Amino acid sequence: MIELIKEIIEQDGLAKKNRKREIVHRRIYLFRKLREDGHTLKGIGSLFNMNHATILHGLKTYKNLVETNDKLFLHDIEYYKLLLSLERPELDLRKEIKEAKNLVDLRKIQARIKNNLF
């Protein structure tokens, strides 16, 4: 999994300084995944060109966003969750479209199509 995460970091530019919400959310999600796998704060920091204190702050932010069930956070990390999960859930495009209740749901479907998840 570490190789996949390194690819993601490189491809999405997560090691570069960027404070856009989507990038920060994705970055701290990966902090958490790496920490769960037993990586040290210093080791995680070296992957992202950050120090251990920044990683620790990101982990605390992750915890707060999960506890508050932040919708934007959950939306921003959805693709990474699917990418890193061992079992990819079966997604049915027709069912998703029928169950869409608003424009936000349709935009999620559009993002999934762009990411080849259907």
Side-chain angles (χ1 to χ4, degrees), residues 37-70:
D37 283 350
H39 294 274
T40 64
L41 296 174
K42 185 177 179 180
I44 297 168
S46 68
L47 291 172
F48 291 91
N49 298 323
M50 298 177 176
N51 67 35
H52 74 282
T54 305
I55 306 305
L56 191 58
H57 176 72
L59 292 170
K60 288 179 183 177
T61 302
Y62 174 89
K63 182 180 175 190
N64 290 337
L65 291 170
V66 169
E67 285 175 355
T68 59
N69 201 22
D70 187 279

Short mmCIF file of all heavy atoms in Angstrom, two decimals, residues 37-70:
data_model
loop_
_atom_site.label_atom_id
_atom_site.label_comp_id
_atom_site.label_asym_id
_atom_site.label_seq_id
_atom_site.Cartn_x
_atom_site.Cartn_y
_atom_site.Cartn_z
N ASP A 37 -1.17 2.04 9.55
CA ASP A 37 -0.26 0.98 9.09
C ASP A 37 1.02 0.92 9.91
O ASP A 37 1.89 0.10 9.63
CB ASP A 37 0.09 1.16 7.62
CG ASP A 37 -1.03 0.72 6.70
OD1 ASP A 37 -1.99 0.10 7.18
OD2 ASP A 37 -0.93 0.99 5.49
N GLY A 38 1.16 1.80 10.90
CA GLY A 38 2.30 1.73 11.80
C GLY A 38 3.48 2.61 11.45
O GLY A 38 4.55 2.48 12.03
N HIS A 39 3.31 3.52 10.50
CA HIS A 39 4.40 4.42 10.14
C HIS A 39 4.59 5.49 11.22
O HIS A 39 3.63 5.91 11.87
CB HIS A 39 4.12 5.09 8.79
CG HIS A 39 4.12 4.12 7.65
ND1 HIS A 39 5.26 3.75 6.98
CD2 HIS A 39 3.12 3.41 7.08
CE1 HIS A 39 4.96 2.87 6.05
NE2 HIS A 39 3.66 2.65 6.09
N THR A 40 5.83 5.91 11.40
CA THR A 40 6.12 6.95 12.40
C THR A 40 5.72 8.31 11.86
O THR A 40 5.57 8.51 10.64
CB THR A 40 7.62 6.98 12.72
OG1 THR A 40 8.34 7.35 11.55
CG2 THR A 40 8.10 5.64 13.26
N LEU A 41 5.57 9.27 12.78
CA LEU A 41 5.25 10.64 12.37
C LEU A 41 6.36 11.20 11.48
O LEU A 41 6.09 11.86 10.48
CB LEU A 41 5.06 11.53 13.59
CG LEU A 41 3.88 11.18 14.51
CD1 LEU A 41 3.90 12.07 15.75
CD2 LEU A 41 2.57 11.30 13.78
N LYS A 42 7.60 10.91 11.84
CA LYS A 42 8.73 11.39 11.05
C LYS A 42 8.74 10.74 9.66
O LYS A 42 9.00 11.41 8.65
CB LYS A 42 10.04 11.08 11.78
CG LYS A 42 11.26 11.64 11.10
CD LYS A 42 12.51 11.38 11.91
CE LYS A 42 13.72 11.93 11.19
NZ LYS A 42 14.95 11.69 11.93
N GLY A 43 8.42 9.45 9.60
CA GLY A 43 8.38 8.75 8.32
C GLY A 43 7.29 9.28 7.40
O GLY A 43 7.49 9.47 6.20
N ILE A 44 6.12 9.55 7.98
CA ILE A 44 5.02 10.12 7.20
C ILE A 44 5.41 11.51 6.73
O ILE A 44 5.19 11.87 5.57
CB ILE A 44 3.71 10.17 8.04
CG1 ILE A 44 3.28 8.75 8.42
CG2 ILE A 44 2.62 10.89 7.27
CD1 ILE A 44 2.18 8.70 9.46
N GLY A 45 6.01 12.28 7.62
CA GLY A 45 6.44 13.62 7.28
C GLY A 45 7.43 13.64 6.12
O GLY A 45 7.37 14.51 5.25
N SER A 46 8.31 12.66 6.08
CA SER A 46 9.29 12.63 4.99
C SER A 46 8.63 12.37 3.64
O SER A 46 9.10 12.87 2.62
CB SER A 46 10.38 11.59 5.27
OG SER A 46 9.85 10.29 5.22
N LEU A 47 7.54 11.62 3.63
CA LEU A 47 6.81 11.38 2.37
C LEU A 47 6.18 12.67 1.83
O LEU A 47 6.06 12.85 0.62
CB LEU A 47 5.71 10.34 2.57
CG LEU A 47 6.15 8.91 2.83
CD1 LEU A 47 4.94 8.05 3.19
CD2 LEU A 47 6.84 8.35 1.60
N PHE A 48 5.75 13.54 2.75
CA PHE A 48 5.03 14.76 2.38
C PHE A 48 5.89 16.02 2.48
O PHE A 48 5.38 17.12 2.33
CB PHE A 48 3.79 14.93 3.27
CG PHE A 48 2.71 13.91 3.01
CD1 PHE A 48 2.67 12.71 3.72
CD2 PHE A 48 1.73 14.15 2.07
CE1 PHE A 48 1.68 11.78 3.49
CE2 PHE A 48 0.73 13.22 1.84
CZ PHE A 48 0.71 12.04 2.55
N ASN A 49 7.19 15.85 2.78
CA ASN A 49 8.08 17.00 2.99
C ASN A 49 7.58 17.92 4.10
O ASN A 49 7.53 19.14 3.96
CB ASN A 49 8.27 17.80 1.69
CG ASN A 49 8.91 16.98 0.60
OD1 ASN A 49 9.78 16.16 0.87
ND2 ASN A 49 8.46 17.20 -0.62
N MET A 50 7.16 17.31 5.21
CA MET A 50 6.64 18.06 6.36
C MET A 50 7.30 17.52 7.62
O MET A 50 7.84 16.41 7.64
CB MET A 50 5.13 17.89 6.46
CG MET A 50 4.37 18.42 5.28
SD MET A 50 2.63 18.10 5.45
CE MET A 50 2.02 18.94 4.03
N ASN A 51 7.22 18.30 8.70
CA ASN A 51 7.78 17.80 9.96
C ASN A 51 6.73 17.03 10.75
O ASN A 51 5.53 17.06 10.43
CB ASN A 51 8.43 18.93 10.77
CG ASN A 51 7.43 19.94 11.28
OD1 ASN A 51 6.30 19.61 11.63
ND2 ASN A 51 7.84 21.19 11.33
N HIS A 52 7.17 16.35 11.80
CA HIS A 52 6.28 15.49 12.57
C HIS A 52 5.15 16.26 13.23
O HIS A 52 4.04 15.73 13.39
CB HIS A 52 7.08 14.71 13.62
CG HIS A 52 7.52 15.55 14.77
ND1 HIS A 52 8.60 16.41 14.68
CD2 HIS A 52 7.01 15.68 16.01
CE1 HIS A 52 8.73 17.03 15.85
NE2 HIS A 52 7.79 16.60 16.67
N ALA A 53 5.39 17.51 13.61
CA ALA A 53 4.35 18.31 14.27
C ALA A 53 3.19 18.60 13.31
O ALA A 53 2.02 18.60 13.72
CB ALA A 53 4.94 19.61 14.81
N THR A 54 3.51 18.82 12.06
CA THR A 54 2.47 19.06 11.06
C THR A 54 1.62 17.81 10.86
O THR A 54 0.40 17.89 10.73
CB THR A 54 3.11 19.48 9.71
OG1 THR A 54 3.96 20.60 9.94
CG2 THR A 54 2.06 19.82 8.68
N ILE A 55 2.26 16.66 10.87
CA ILE A 55 1.55 15.39 10.73
C ILE A 55 0.64 15.18 11.94
O ILE A 55 -0.53 14.81 11.80
CB ILE A 55 2.52 14.20 10.59
CG1 ILE A 55 3.51 14.42 9.45
CG2 ILE A 55 1.76 12.89 10.44
CD1 ILE A 55 2.91 14.71 8.11
N LEU A 56 1.15 15.46 13.13
CA LEU A 56 0.36 15.33 14.35
C LEU A 56 -0.87 16.24 14.31
O LEU A 56 -1.98 15.83 14.64
CB LEU A 56 1.23 15.64 15.57
CG LEU A 56 0.66 15.30 16.93
CD1 LEU A 56 0.31 13.82 17.02
CD2 LEU A 56 1.63 15.67 18.02
N HIS A 57 -0.67 17.48 13.87
CA HIS A 57 -1.79 18.42 13.75
C HIS A 57 -2.81 17.89 12.73
O HIS A 57 -4.02 17.96 12.96
CB HIS A 57 -1.28 19.80 13.32
CG HIS A 57 -2.38 20.78 13.08
ND1 HIS A 57 -3.13 21.33 14.10
CD2 HIS A 57 -2.87 21.30 11.94
CE1 HIS A 57 -4.04 22.13 13.59
NE2 HIS A 57 -3.89 22.14 12.27
N GLY A 58 -2.33 17.34 11.61
CA GLY A 58 -3.23 16.78 10.61
C GLY A 58 -4.04 15.62 11.15
O GLY A 58 -5.23 15.47 10.84
N LEU A 59 -3.42 14.78 11.96
CA LEU A 59 -4.13 13.65 12.55
C LEU A 59 -5.22 14.12 13.51
O LEU A 59 -6.31 13.54 13.56
CB LEU A 59 -3.15 12.71 13.27
CG LEU A 59 -2.19 11.95 12.36
CD1 LEU A 59 -1.11 11.27 13.18
CD2 LEU A 59 -2.94 10.95 11.50
N LYS A 60 -4.93 15.18 14.27
CA LYS A 60 -5.95 15.74 15.17
C LYS A 60 -7.10 16.35 14.36
O LYS A 60 -8.28 16.19 14.72
CB LYS A 60 -5.33 16.79 16.08
CG LYS A 60 -4.44 16.20 17.15
CD LYS A 60 -3.81 17.28 18.02
CE LYS A 60 -2.87 16.66 19.03
NZ LYS A 60 -2.19 17.67 19.85
N THR A 61 -6.76 17.02 13.27
CA THR A 61 -7.78 17.61 12.41
C THR A 61 -8.65 16.51 11.81
O THR A 61 -9.88 16.63 11.75
CB THR A 61 -7.13 18.45 11.29
OG1 THR A 61 -6.32 19.45 11.89
CG2 THR A 61 -8.17 19.09 10.39
N TYR A 62 -8.01 15.42 11.36
CA TYR A 62 -8.75 14.28 10.82
C TYR A 62 -9.76 13.77 11.85
O TYR A 62 -10.93 13.55 11.52
CB TYR A 62 -7.77 13.16 10.44
CG TYR A 62 -8.45 11.89 10.00
CD1 TYR A 62 -8.79 11.70 8.67
CD2 TYR A 62 -8.77 10.89 10.92
CE1 TYR A 62 -9.43 10.53 8.26
CE2 TYR A 62 -9.41 9.73 10.51
CZ TYR A 62 -9.74 9.55 9.20
OH TYR A 62 -10.38 8.41 8.80
N LYS A 63 -9.30 13.59 13.07
CA LYS A 63 -10.18 13.08 14.14
C LYS A 63 -11.38 14.01 14.34
O LYS A 63 -12.52 13.54 14.44
CB LYS A 63 -9.39 12.95 15.44
CG LYS A 63 -10.18 12.39 16.58
CD LYS A 63 -9.34 12.28 17.84
CE LYS A 63 -10.21 11.84 18.99
NZ LYS A 63 -9.52 11.95 20.27
N ASN A 64 -11.14 15.31 14.36
CA ASN A 64 -12.23 16.27 14.55
C ASN A 64 -13.22 16.23 13.39
O ASN A 64 -14.44 16.28 13.61
CB ASN A 64 -11.68 17.70 14.69
CG ASN A 64 -10.95 17.91 15.99
OD1 ASN A 64 -11.18 17.20 16.97
ND2 ASN A 64 -10.06 18.88 16.01
N LEU A 65 -12.73 16.14 12.17
CA LEU A 65 -13.62 16.10 11.00
C LEU A 65 -14.45 14.83 10.98
O LEU A 65 -15.62 14.85 10.60
CB LEU A 65 -12.80 16.24 9.72
CG LEU A 65 -12.16 17.60 9.48
CD1 LEU A 65 -11.19 17.55 8.31
CD2 LEU A 65 -13.23 18.66 9.25
N VAL A 66 -13.86 13.70 11.38
CA VAL A 66 -14.60 12.44 11.42
C VAL A 66 -15.66 12.49 12.52
O VAL A 66 -16.81 12.08 12.30
CB VAL A 66 -13.65 11.25 11.61
CG1 VAL A 66 -14.41 9.97 11.93
CG2 VAL A 66 -12.79 11.06 10.37
N GLU A 67 -15.30 13.01 13.68
CA GLU A 67 -16.24 13.08 14.81
C GLU A 67 -17.43 13.97 14.50
O GLU A 67 -18.54 13.71 14.95
CB GLU A 67 -15.53 13.57 16.06
CG GLU A 67 -14.63 12.53 16.69
CD GLU A 67 -13.84 13.05 17.87
OE1 GLU A 67 -13.90 14.27 18.17
OE2 GLU A 67 -13.15 12.24 18.51
N THR A 68 -17.21 15.04 13.73
CA THR A 68 -18.30 15.96 13.39
C THR A 68 -19.03 15.53 12.12
O THR A 68 -19.99 16.18 11.73
CB THR A 68 -17.79 17.39 13.21
OG1 THR A 68 -16.81 17.42 12.18
CG2 THR A 68 -17.22 17.94 14.50
N ASN A 69 -18.56 14.44 11.49
CA ASN A 69 -19.18 13.91 10.28
C ASN A 69 -19.27 15.00 9.20
O ASN A 69 -20.31 15.19 8.57
CB ASN A 69 -20.57 13.33 10.60
CG ASN A 69 -21.03 12.35 9.55
OD1 ASN A 69 -20.21 11.78 8.82
ND2 ASN A 69 -22.32 12.14 9.47
N ASP A 70 -18.16 15.69 8.99
CA ASP A 70 -18.09 16.79 8.04
C ASP A 70 -18.36 16.30 6.61
O ASP A 70 -17.62 15.47 6.08
CB ASP A 70 -16.71 17.44 8.13
CG ASP A 70 -16.60 18.69 7.31
OD1 ASP A 70 -16.40 18.55 6.09
OD2 ASP A 70 -16.71 19.79 7.88
#
